């Protein structure tokens, strides 16, 4: 969806309302009412054969009678009639439609057919369609209120820098009304409905390019076009316009069906979270957070880091905010002697009664002399050691709130730091309006401003990393082109051999990985005990022996593995044992023989996996072996594509990381080798497209620092 | 602090204000102003030699001139003069004082002396003292406003069922003012200040016994009398009056200095949390939660369990609340066919458009016909399968909010379930007042009501367990009296032997534990290699050999342990090796020999510890061995005393519990044996009083189910 098409939705020169009702309380009556009441400047044309005029406007009996040149139609007819009307409107040169009507894909097979027709019409006439089954849309600045949203029952939203995209009409409407109470203003608002034509991402992309929009907030149930979303999120990062999403449905999404171990842990929500984390999408967990985060993102200054100083009119609030800083990941600076000296100079005699640590705690006198807070703020206004100034204020006697607000505005507008004001209890409305007008974010509970500032700081740091990375030259490919070519041609051969089978044996999987340059232990397939000994002799002892059968995936359970074999007799005996055991485990199984391999002495075991998400594409998973994955589900995810430093950061995201990095004198594992495997895996996946459906390297044996890693076992499923 | 004494603070028949200022904006002027303005019915006597009268009241030049029979004095003189005035007031028969003045223990050594004098005066004259260095107190019903709190700048608080105890004057004042906006009313309010005489617990205990008080909320920085707090919390549980605390200072509290491993993990905050969890104290993490939890606790019905049904006017809000239910631990019921049938009958034709799963999702029509929500609620009003009904409402056209509120009140007042209403955006103030008056808790964001309901349900379930436990006969003691006596007399002997030493060797510690009946492996102390062999032969092989020296606590690091010794030669060799190694590790160490023990084949290792908290007394800790404690700090705490079922529940509180209980076919450990050790440890600690300062049983070896456990090693420090 390009910009010109959505312009017809959001900036129409004239609007028809097809199926308009004269009863302005009805869903089919409200859009017309809102257009008339809220001050839309263009012409409005009601269409309904039952009336001659509605609300003083001439009413047209059908679409054919409409004058030409109307860009947008709001359609509130029953579903089948709605589709016909849209087609007629498009044929007359209409450019866009908001289909409010329900009864489409959400309503069963008949509705699905109707929705398909909407898509066909849209494609044929190049029509932008919002909905169907939506609450409509709004362009606040131009008073385009193509909606029946009850959010307008309390009047037009405030003008402001926030755009909203909502996948729930009712909740998005309520958000709109609540935002008015909270002093948050909008450029655009849309309820996406069934997204038959224009989808969630199209709207976000459109709003991002609008110069007045500084932040896009969204209520999300499901992003069906994940790859497109990623592109949009990248564009938002480039522009420095945060996307803040309340993503729900965490509890609905069960684990996915998966052969692979980490794949089973890759819940839909964990993939969303991984994409959001990678691309700086700020996640809100409730509507309070959605407001708070939107507010902080429209502050006049963005922080350059996470170093915070707290100035508080209450010691108790100071401790509470300190706890919040620790919980949310802000760093409280230590007040230096230099800063202390400057504070003393700024505050004069009262300085002796101010606690000069962080939080900087003022005595009750500050309530009568709010300029003290400003003076203290000014000390940090351009201090290189500070990124964020957090204020706390409470109730002030005698209208002191307004005076304090003026002081805060004075310092915050001449300050290179993010200044957030936590004000509890909430000061009078006109004081809040002063702060809003000056773009000083305020919060109605002390910890809320801390949390919001922390999320913005996270965003700013991630954005910096993102932009820095783009400035650097393209890195060396993780796999050389000739190796890649060899790997690809081997896979083509292998697929012929496999016939219909798509689950590879360990032997086949490792061979494929080896072709792509992964560190695979030396070894070979032995069909007889004698072959096994020959291979073992070639490798040198000790060796490992594992049964190979396309029908046995769980080799340990089948008694199909023997390790630490020290001589030919042990190898012979192991061959007999594992093949017999496998045949007992699964009678009639096609047992090819055994894989004989050198034995790798790793210091740790990790798991590296690949999941192909239906929406977002390939995602890498990483976790430590044993209890970490089995019991603690301690797995981190990283969507492809990623850079070397992102892969490095991934390792530290699991709780068990200290064990890998070396803990209390335990030998550290070769973390660089893990990163190298992740990079190689990414290159292989990008080269093969969707040919690999799932992959678990479990375990990846990690040797000591600088000693490399080796694929202990692998489970590979082709698409 | 008994009830009669605090009555003089909170229900005084007359009040003197010593050091009253005629400037009503000053801290020393405001208490008098508030008493006059807010309508206190008793006599008020200002004392200040500078004035003849203040605010129309006769002003007395000094305390001596005051008439007799005045129960309470508010004191706002400078600290030294304040103490003198309090003493004079007490000598004249005064019963209580609120010392607002600062300059006491918080201000250094001189102030500490003054505070000690306050304590002496209070003891001598049996005087109840609030403060010093406090904002004062309030009895809202009787208009006793003995405070300068800026919280009164917006008028007297509302009357209501909440009492507040605050350890921060400013924040507690702000809370008071914010509560007025939120429609939350108070019986009592107090800022505790330095707690020289009356402490935090005294106030809570006093408020609990007040029949109009239904819930006590508190802002807490430090509870110095933890044992008293526990008694107060138990009383609250008996009465069914929840205590809700915002406990801050999480980030300030570092790990405690400790020899023992789990002791080092027992942060001050984790001990608070353990006490709160054990005694049903509801913890708030910010002021929003403090309000929300107070509100839900004053609902007309308390839930009997965690089974919830959601009725929502927005599908999106429904999903959001479902997520919150899962996150907060409420169970969403499955709507049964019977319930569905009753819903259909209640709703009539519209039923076809209502989503009949949980959340029960209403179409937009519900906005025009709020009685539908009531009708659906009534289906569950006395349903045995449901404990909590969660409603969501948003904006309604044409004053529909009031109509909906009436419907909600109608059903909720005739309902045996907890009904919570999430209303976003916030409806008009008079609608909220209707709900408050009817004791229907409302919440301004959809997830907030879910969280509040969940905390109340947790509380109710814990209270039920607590009351059930009290109804049962006293359990058998975990250690028989004759064994206890033997243990005690052995400890007395041992202490003589030890001289000044308080850290026991493993050998001594195990012997002590064995005397108290703990499962300790068979074994003995060998001073020579020959003795070691003799002991080993007596035990049977394999055996373990560990060096014994009072100067070597970290035996592994000293190379002082050998396991799996299978014959006399190995034992002899091990004796030489570990003693030599120990002497190399710590030259000149007093090496007594080795402990020779049978080798225990456990399936798991756990750690059981004991910490003596300065405030709350002895606390048991429990965790799984290895990475669980070392890397994940996965330890749970349980204050003594506890019951068998509490010890059982403790095990499941660590993340690694599935490993102990048997996971994916791994052999389960004998969890009953662990509980038995915990019970035994408790009995030993209760018997010995404070004689044991610290104890780590690390590891406690756990055998297979029904096979018992054994003390692998122990670190025991006497007081």
């Amino acid at each position: 969806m390009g910009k010109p098409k959505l312009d017809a939705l959001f900036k129409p020169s004239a609007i028809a309302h097809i199926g308009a009702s004269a009863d302005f309380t009805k869903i089919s009556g409200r859009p017309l009412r809102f257009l008339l009441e809220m001050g839309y400047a263009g012409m409005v044309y009601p269409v309904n054969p039952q009336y001659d005029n509605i609300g003083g406007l001439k009413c047209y009996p059908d679409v054919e009678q409409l004058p030409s040149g109307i860009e947008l139609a709001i359609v509130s007819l029953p579903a089948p009639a709605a589709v016909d009307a849209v087609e007629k409107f498009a044929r007359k040169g209409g450019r866009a439609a908001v289909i409010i009507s329900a009864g489409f894909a959400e309503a069963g097979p008949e509705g699905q057919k109707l929705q398909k027709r909407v898509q066909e019409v849209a494609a044929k006439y190049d029509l932008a369609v919002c909905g169907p089954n939506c609450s409509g849309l709004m362009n606040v600045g131009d008073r385009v209120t193509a909606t029946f949203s009850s959010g307008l029952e309390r009047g037009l939203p405030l003008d402001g820098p926030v755009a909203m995209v909502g996948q729930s009409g009712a909740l998005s409407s309520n958000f709109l009304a609540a935002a008015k109470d909270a002093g948050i203003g909008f450029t655009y608002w849309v309820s996406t409905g069934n997204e038959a034509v224009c989808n969630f991402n199209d709207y976000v992309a459109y709003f991002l390019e609008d110069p007045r929009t500084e932040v896009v907030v969204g209520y999300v149930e499901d992003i069906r076009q994940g790859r497109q979303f990623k592109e949009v999120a990248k564009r938002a990062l480039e522009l420095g316009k945060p996307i803040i999403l309340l993503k729900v449905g965490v509890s609905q999404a069960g684990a996915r069906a998966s052969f692979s171990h980490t794949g089973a842990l890759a819940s839909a929500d964990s993939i969303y979270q991984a994409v959001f984390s990678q691309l700086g999408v700020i996640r809100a967990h409730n509507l309070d957070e959605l407001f708070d985060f939107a507010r902080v993102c429209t502050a006049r200054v963005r922080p350059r880091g996470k170093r915070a100083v707290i100035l508080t009119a209450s010691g108790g609030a100071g401790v509470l905010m300190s706890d919040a800083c620790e919980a949310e990941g802000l760093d409280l600076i230590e007040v230096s002697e230099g800063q202390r000296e400057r504070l003393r100079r700024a505050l004069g005699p009262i300085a002796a009664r101010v606690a000069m640590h962080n939080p900087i705690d003022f005595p009750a006198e500050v309530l009568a002399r709010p300029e003290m807070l400003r003076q203290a703020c000014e000390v940090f206004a351009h201090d290189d050691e500070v990124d964020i100034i957090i204020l706390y204020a409470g109730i002030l006697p005698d209208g002191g709130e307004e005076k304090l607000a003026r002081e805060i505005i004075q310092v915050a507008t001449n300050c290179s730091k993010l200044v957030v004001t936590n004000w509890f209890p909430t000061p009078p409305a006109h004081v809040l309006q002063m702060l809003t007008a000056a773009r000083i974010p305020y919060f109605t509970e002390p910890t809320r401003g801390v949390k919001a500032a922390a999320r913005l700081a996270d965003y700013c740091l991630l954005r910096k990393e993102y932009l820095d990375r783009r400035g650097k030259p393209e890195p060396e490919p993780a796999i050389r082109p000739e190796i890649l070519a060899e790997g690809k041609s081997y896979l083509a051969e292998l697929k012929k051999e496999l016939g219909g089978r798509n689950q590879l044996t360990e032997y086949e999987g490792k061979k494929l990985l080896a072709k792509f340059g992964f560190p695979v232990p030396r070894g070979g397939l032995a069909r007889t005990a004698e072959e096994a000994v020959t291979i073992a002799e070639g490798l040198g002892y000790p060796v490992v022996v594992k049964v190979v059968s396309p029908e046995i995936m769980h080799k340990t359970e089948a008694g199909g593995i023997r390790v630490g074999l020290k001589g030919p007799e042990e190898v012979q005996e192991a061959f007999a044992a594992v093949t017999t055991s496998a045949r007992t485990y699964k009678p009639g199984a096609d047992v090819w023989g055994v894989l004989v391999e050198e034995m790798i002495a790793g210091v740790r075991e990790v798991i590296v996996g690949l999941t192909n998400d239906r929406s977002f594409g390939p995602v890498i998973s990483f976790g430590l072996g044993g209890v970490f994955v089995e019991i603690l589900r301690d797995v981190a995810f990283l969507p492809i594509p990623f850079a070397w430093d992102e892969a490095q950061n991934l390792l530290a995201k699991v709780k068990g990381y200290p064990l890998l990095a070396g803990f209390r004198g335990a030998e550290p594992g070769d973390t660089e080798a893990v990163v190298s495997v992740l990079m190689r895996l990414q290159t292989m996946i990008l080269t093969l497209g969707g040919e690999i459906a799932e992959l678990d390297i479990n375990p990846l044996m990690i040797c000591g620092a600088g000693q490399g890693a080796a694929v202990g076992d692998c489970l590979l499923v082709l698409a």
Side-chain angles (χ1 to χ4, degrees), chain A:
Chain A
M1 284 293 130
K3 190 161 175 300
K5 285 181 72 180
L6 289 194
D7 272 349
L9 273 176
F10 288 97
K11 298 174 179 170
S13 55
I15 303 175
H17 182 178
I18 306 170
S21 166
D23 180 348
F24 278 3
T25 66
K26 281 176 128 178
I27 283 176
S28 53
R30 281 193 251 156
L32 196 61
R33 178 183 127 214
F34 291 145
L35 286 169
L36 294 172
E37 282 181 5
M38 304 290 167
Y40 170 63
M43 292 294 288
V44 181
Y45 303 90
V47 179
N48 190 332
Q50 294 177 32
Y51 307 104
D52 290 332
N53 77 74
I54 302 181
L57 294 175
K58 177 182 175 185
C59 187
Y60 293 79
D62 58 42
V63 176
E64 270 87 359
Q65 312 288 316
L66 282 170
S68 60
I70 304 174
E71 282 189 298
L72 174 66
I74 302 167
V75 184
S76 44
L77 298 169
V83 182
D84 293 339
V86 168
E87 182 155 23
K88 284 181 198 162
F89 179 67
R91 221 181 289 137
K92 278 190 71 82
R95 309 300 322 278
V98 174
I99 307 178
I100 284 171
S101 330
F104 288 88
E106 83 285 2
E110 279 308 307
Q112 280 163 21
K113 278 184 212 157
L114 290 172
Q115 185 155 324
K116 192 136 189 293
R117 271 195 58 210
V118 171
Q119 289 165 329
E120 286 160 3
V121 169
K124 181 168 173 191
Y125 296 98
D126 198 25
L127 193 77
V129 177
C130 173
N133 188 29
C134 72
S135 297
L137 57 84
M138 227 178 303
N139 164 351
V140 177
D142 295 334
R143 298 348 189 204
V144 176
T145 52
T147 175
F148 67 89
S149 168
S150 57
L152 292 179
E153 294 291 343
R154 298 191 190 168
L156 193 71
L158 303 176
D159 251 308
V162 179
M164 178 176 195
V165 187
Q167 287 188 330
S168 159
L171 195 62
S172 305
S173 293
N174 289 331
F175 183 84
L176 203 58
K180 192 158 188 178
D181 296 341
I184 290 179
F186 292 86
T187 49
Y188 297 102
W189 176 92
V190 62
S191 149
T192 65
N194 291 0
E195 304 183 17
V197 178
C198 296
N199 70 22
F200 185 87
N201 306 316
D202 296 327
Y203 298 116
V204 176
Y206 179 75
F207 297 157
L208 285 171
E209 302 300 334
D210 171 56
R212 293 168 310 145
T213 300
E214 294 172 28
V215 50
V216 178
V217 303
Y219 167 89
V220 177
E221 296 187 346
D222 190 16
I223 295 175
R224 273 155 286 176
Q225 297 81 8
R227 288 175 178 81
Q228 184 194 4
F229 175 80
K230 286 163 68 168
E231 292 310 312
V232 172
K234 279 184 209 161
R235 177 67 182 149
L237 264 187
E238 276 163 31
L239 292 167
K241 299 185 178 185
I243 298 174
I244 308 169
L245 299 184
L246 175 57
K247 162 74 183 71
V248 298
V250 180
S251 56
Q252 293 174 326
R256 69 182 67 210
S258 173
F259 286 105
S260 69
H261 208 79
T262 51
L265 294 177
S267 69
D269 194 70
S270 61
I271 301 292
Y272 274 103
Q273 187 54 56
V275 171
F276 292 175
S277 299
Q278 186 181 37
L279 296 174
V281 174
I282 301 175
R283 186 167 191 177
H285 294 90
N286 55 53
L287 294 155
D288 285 340
E289 287 187 3
L290 200 55
F291 278 119
D292 288 347
F293 299 170
R295 207 190 288 281
V296 82
C297 286
T298 57
R300 50 194 320 133
V301 175
R302 295 225 173 123
R304 288 167 50 179
K306 309 176 85 169
R307 299 164 305 169
V309 62
I310 295 174
L311 290 89
T312 177
S314 150
V319 185
L320 181 58
M321 292 186 291
S322 301
D323 284 356
C325 282
E326 173 155 314
E328 302 298 340
L330 292 185
D331 304 324
L332 285 183
I333 64 157
E334 292 240 18
V335 179
S336 69
E337 196 35 59
Q339 289 163 334
R340 217 166 269 139
E341 184 49 41
R342 282 183 283 145
L343 278 168
R344 278 192 284 260
R345 251 181 287 146
L347 295 173
I350 198 77
R353 305 206 38 225
V354 175
M356 293 275 183
H357 46 64
N358 192 3
I360 298 172
D361 183 6
F362 287 82
E365 283 95 322
V366 77
L367 300 178
R369 293 182 47 202
E371 70 276 13
M372 274 168 45
L373 266 182
R374 173 184 48 77
Q375 288 157 348
C377 270
E378 280 168 353
V379 166
F380 301 99
H382 302 285
D383 188 313
D384 284 343
E385 304 296 313
V386 172
D387 305 305
I388 303 169
I389 300 175
I390 298 170
L391 301 179
Y392 170 78
I395 197 164
L396 278 83
D398 305 324
E401 283 92 352
E402 192 177 321
K403 198 173 159 206
L404 176 56
R406 274 198 303 268
E407 302 285 353
I408 293 172
I409 290 167
Q410 188 185 325
V411 65
T413 50
N414 295 292
C415 179
S416 59
K417 313 299 165 188
L418 171 67
V419 179
V420 298
T421 301
N422 295 304
W423 210 323
F424 172 90
T426 311
H430 75 279
V431 173
L432 297 179
Q433 280 156 15
M434 288 168 62
L435 294 174
T436 300
R439 297 176 151 260
I440 319 290
Y442 67 84
F443 302 89
T444 56
E445 197 279 337
T447 65
R448 287 170 68 166
V450 174
K451 193 197 272 181
R455 287 302 79 74
L456 181 58
D458 289 342
Y459 167 84
C460 292
L461 290 170
L462 183 127
R463 178 166 185 254
K464 183 169 185 310
E465 277 177 22
Y466 178 84
L467 296 179
D468 287 353
R469 209 178 287 131
R470 289 175 66 101
K472 283 182 193 152
E474 195 70 12
E476 289 285 298
I479 308 178
R480 289 204 314 276
E482 62 273 24
I483 305 273
L484 269 182
E486 204 180 318
K488 278 181 81 165
S489 74
Y490 174 74
L491 178 58
E493 263 173 59
L494 181 63
K495 282 169 88 169
K496 280 181 220 152
E497 278 175 37
L498 289 170
R501 183 159 58 88
N502 66 346
Q503 220 176 316
L504 306 195
T505 61
E506 177 184 355
Y507 170 68
E508 293 161 330
K510 278 183 167 168
K511 204 159 163 189
L512 181 63
L513 291 178
K515 291 283 180 191
F516 279 97
F518 284 82
V520 170
R522 294 175 301 133
L525 177 65
R527 308 209 171 245
T528 63
E530 291 65 40
E531 278 181 30
V533 171
T534 310
I535 295 170
E537 298 281 330
L539 295 169
Y541 296 98
V543 297
V544 179
V545 157
K546 305 186 199 180
V547 74
V548 177
S549 160
E551 290 158 61
I552 296 176
M553 288 296 124
H554 300 288
K555 295 184 288 287
T556 304
E557 289 171 24
I561 300 182
R562 291 291 172 93
V563 301
L565 307 174
K566 295 191 189 108
E569 298 77 21
E570 289 186 30
V571 170
Q572 267 181 321
E573 193 260 340
F575 183 95
V578 303
T579 51
T580 308
S581 183
R583 287 190 177 101
T584 313
Y585 176 77
K586 193 153 193 178
D590 178 18
V591 176
W592 295 353
V594 303
L595 177 61
V596 184
E597 276 185 350
E598 64 177 329
M599 187 148 159
I600 305 289
V603 300
R604 292 285 173 271
E605 295 187 356
V606 303
I607 302 181
V608 169
L610 169 83
T611 302
N612 270 296
D613 187 76
R614 176 183 56 82
S615 176
F616 292 100
V619 178
I620 292 286
S621 50
F622 169 78
L624 268 75
V627 296
F628 288 97
V629 166
E630 298 272 347
I631 290 184
L632 303 169
R633 307 172 71 91
D634 181 23
V635 180
F637 301 95
L638 183 61
I640 288 176
F642 51 79
W644 179 277
D645 60 310
E646 289 177 282
Q648 267 180 321
N649 294 341
L650 179 70
L651 306 194
K653 283 185 181 164
V654 299
K655 296 188 197 78
Y657 177 67
L659 194 66
L660 181 62
F663 176 78
R664 287 208 187 161
E667 191 180 351
D670 190 341
T671 52
E672 292 293 287
V674 181
V675 176
S676 165
V677 165
L678 296 176
M679 297 307 293
R680 192 172 288 275
L681 180 55
Q682 160 167 260
T683 304
M684 180 175 86
I685 296 303
L686 288 173
T687 305
L688 297 180
E691 289 200 73
I692 294 183
E694 285 182 52
L695 170 63
D696 253 2
I697 299 179
N698 179 11
L700 179 69
M701 320 283 297
I702 311 302
C703 302
Q707 306 293 307
V711 176
D713 197 350
C714 68
L715 191 157
L716 207 153
V717 183
L718 298 177

